[in-house]
Amino acid sequence: MKNVGGVPQGAAEEQTTGERRTRNRVARSILDHGPSTAADLAQRLGLTQAAVRRHLDALTAEHMVEARDQRVYGHRGRGRPAKVFALTDGGRDAFDQSYDQLAADALRWIAQSAGGGEQGEAAVSAFARARVAAQAERYRAVVEAAAPEDRAAALARALSADGYAASARSAAGEAGPAGEQLCQHHCPVAHTAQQFPQLCEAEAEVFSRLLGTHVQRLATIAHGDGVCTTFIPQTQVGRADAADRERDGRPGDGRPGGRKPGGPAPADREPADPEPGGREPAEHDPAQHPEHHRTTTDHAPVSTSGRKPA
């Protein structure tokens, strides 16, 4: 298991999720009780003041809360007034769930107006695609400016700026193909997407177009998972890199899907002369060159000769 800062990756994610829950409790307490001091929050939530201040610092950095001087009515004693923490407009909006119901009602009206049934679902899908298309245009410049191998991380940063708390990480394993996982730890439309999965489907389509490759949705918050997870196969990333180099006239670097420096593209190769004895040229021998038999699927390479690759 991969370690993050000396902590197993799974444990690190669980710790991050736990901290997010506690941070939300701090923000909720401010919403319910109004501007509060760190001491007030610690007493209400059963936490130490040091822990509360750490979460307040994080909420302040996220522009969810802001510090103010405490108003004192009547006689004020000596010393500086205590700092209180209040929710910003953005922090207050994060708890306003009426928008979810409004969005769901609007999508339901679109489906009914289109005739319901398959026509209604198609109308909702068209709306979902139009919505994320505008979002994709904001991300496109950021993604295309990054190197092919860094585009998933660039997309994660763009998503985080829109409140999705996204990250990208390597996803290499023995049981399946290597690649990357794009993780979204927050979804602003999760409650609406529970009723209208077309929102998730349209988002995955946009990821595919931005990254120039097929992607696979593994999990979504809308369906009860803790994180929205999208798998990006490494083989497809390599082919996208090769396509970019081909388009720009740059030599490949020998990675999967690319050309070796100074060498022709596989499709441009001339067939080799037959070898003495009537043997098939070595480059056509799947045992010697199993990469010629790789497919664009997620399955492992197979040989069409009936022999196991050497």
Side-chain angles (χ1 to χ4, degrees), residues 120-308:
E121 291 182 2
V124 172
S125 295
F127 167 82
R129 291 190 181 99
R131 173 185 173 274
V132 296
Q135 192 176 11
E137 286 307 309
R138 299 200 311 271
Y139 300 162
R140 187 175 303 281
V142 176
V143 173
E144 292 185 349
E149 64 272 16
D150 296 330
R151 286 178 181 172
L155 178 57
R157 290 193 296 271
L159 287 165
S160 294
D162 273 355
Y164 288 87
S167 62
R169 67 185 187 188
S170 174
E174 296 180 0
E180 290 183 277
Q181 282 188 357
L182 179 66
C183 300
Q184 296 159 261
H185 299 272
H186 177 64
C187 177
V189 297
H191 293 87
T192 306
Q194 287 178 354
Q195 304 174 55
F196 299 94
Q198 293 96 325
L199 296 174
C200 298
E201 295 166 2
E203 185 181 65
E205 291 175 6
V206 163
F207 291 169
S208 179
R209 289 199 300 270
L210 288 173
L211 298 172
T213 178
H214 169 74
V215 301
Q216 182 182 4
R217 219 49 182 291
L218 302 179
T220 61
I221 295 174
H223 287 82
D225 300 298
V227 180
C228 293
T229 307
T230 306
F231 179 69
I232 308 165
Q234 189 177 49
T235 53
Q236 298 292 348
V237 172
R239 289 189 176 90
D241 183 16
D244 288 340
R245 293 178 181 275
E246 181 74 19
R247 181 190 61 198
D248 299 338
R250 293 177 290 144
D253 58 2
R255 288 180 292 182
R259 287 185 288 167
K260 295 181 180 180
D268 297 334
R269 290 178 182 171
E270 294 293 335
D273 293 331
E275 294 183 0
R279 290 184 55 194
E280 187 180 6
E283 69 172 311
H284 296 293
D285 188 349
Q288 298 297 326
H289 297 272
E291 68 273 15
H292 290 181
H293 300 271
R294 290 174 181 165
T295 65
T296 58
T297 67
D298 292 340
H299 300 292
V302 296
S303 171
T304 57
S305 67
R307 290 181 293 165
K308 294 183 179 180

Side-chain angles (χ1 to χ4, degrees), residues 35-57:
S36 307
T37 65
D40 293 335
L41 290 164
Q43 183 176 6
R44 286 199 296 263
L45 299 174
L47 302 171
T48 65
Q49 289 194 37
V52 168
R53 290 187 182 281
R54 178 165 55 84
H55 290 297
L56 287 171
D57 287 342

